[in-house]
Amino acid sequence: MFTIGVLGSGKGSNFRAIQSAIEAGTLKARTGVVVSDVADSGILVFAREKGIPAHHVDPASNRARLAPEIEQQIVSLLREHGVQLVVLAGFMRLIGQPLLEAFPRRIVNIHPSLLPRHRGLAAWKQALEAGDTETGCTVHYVDHGMDTGEIIAQRRVPVLPGDTPESLHARIQEAEHILYPEVIASLIQQFSTSNK
Ligand code: GRF
């Protein structure tokens, strides 16, 4: 069975959506391991509830990028659990050389805007502040930059009159929960046909 590994720092709603698609059989994969840089994150709690190996990796500092030796620990965990695709689901760190070299073109992320618009933090707030009438979410390959990797797929979301940052973020997250499992399923399909 194709094995994904999930990295996250937060509540893990995208991981929950991915796991639901796995359980429903629409995403033919298994989650080999979940790794977080936040010890009490919702994503780790949920993984443990599901009996999925769940590891906290101590980030040691608050820098945007993990030290190479810490990334190397993550690489070891992912390899130990047979991970074939690394799925970033709310992982609040930039990715560096150890992970990129270990998983070339096999790390994906979801970002809450229509990239390349509104990279970085709280992209839904950036969309509101810019007066956009439409925003959305993007799944992209991960490279060294912040939300700069090649775009794989997007889903559009309207900005409605009276939207607050919270209401807009919630609407974008609903779209994320549809888009991310679909894109992962189609990537796995592509990998299996290109291996034949
Ligand atoms: C999502 O909005 C995603 O776009 C961003 O981080 C958030 C993670 O949320 N990269 P969750 O932990 O999946 O609920």
Side-chain angles (χ1 to χ4, degrees), residues 16 42-52 54:
R16 282 170 188 265
I43 196 166
L44 283 184
V45 172
F46 178 68
R48 290 191 184 113
E49 274 169 27
K50 288 284 171 186
I52 295 165

Side-chain angles (χ1 to χ4, degrees), residues 66-83:
L66 294 170
E69 56 275 17
I70 296 172
E71 269 204 10
Q72 200 52 57
Q73 282 177 35
I74 299 179
V75 168
S76 302
L77 282 168
L78 295 169
R79 288 220 163 110
E80 220 171 273
H81 291 278
V83 168

Side-chain angles (χ1 to χ4, degrees), residues 93-152:
R93 306 272 172 179
L94 293 174
I95 300 300
Q97 210 56 32
L99 271 161
L100 291 169
E101 267 174 17
F103 294 95
R105 246 178 121 74
R106 289 286 180 117
I107 309 178
V108 293
N109 181 42
I110 189 153
H111 179 77
S113 78
L114 295 175
L115 288 172
R117 234 172 132 65
H118 308 315
R119 293 185 171 122
L121 292 176
W124 57 92
K125 268 194 201 154
Q126 298 183 44
L128 272 183
E129 280 159 15
D132 295 356
T133 54
E134 186 181 60
T135 182
C137 52
T138 303
V139 179
H140 62 93
Y141 289 107
V142 172
D143 64 11
H144 278 101
M146 187 187 286
D147 308 317
T148 49
E150 185 189 327
I151 292 171
I152 304 169

Side-chain angles (χ1 to χ4, degrees), residues 10-15 89-90 92 109-112 124 169 173 176:
K11 64 183 195 294
S13 69
N14 278 284
F15 173 50
M92 301 305 283
N109 181 42
I110 189 153
H111 179 77
W124 57 92
H169 188 207
Q173 283 224 299
E176 291 182 344

Side-chain angles (χ1 to χ4, degrees), residues 164-185:
T164 61
E166 293 72 30
S167 65
L168 182 56
H169 188 207
R171 193 174 311 114
I172 294 171
Q173 283 224 299
E174 281 175 27
E176 291 182 344
H177 300 161
I178 298 167
L179 183 68
Y180 216 2
E182 278 179 8
V183 171
I184 295 166

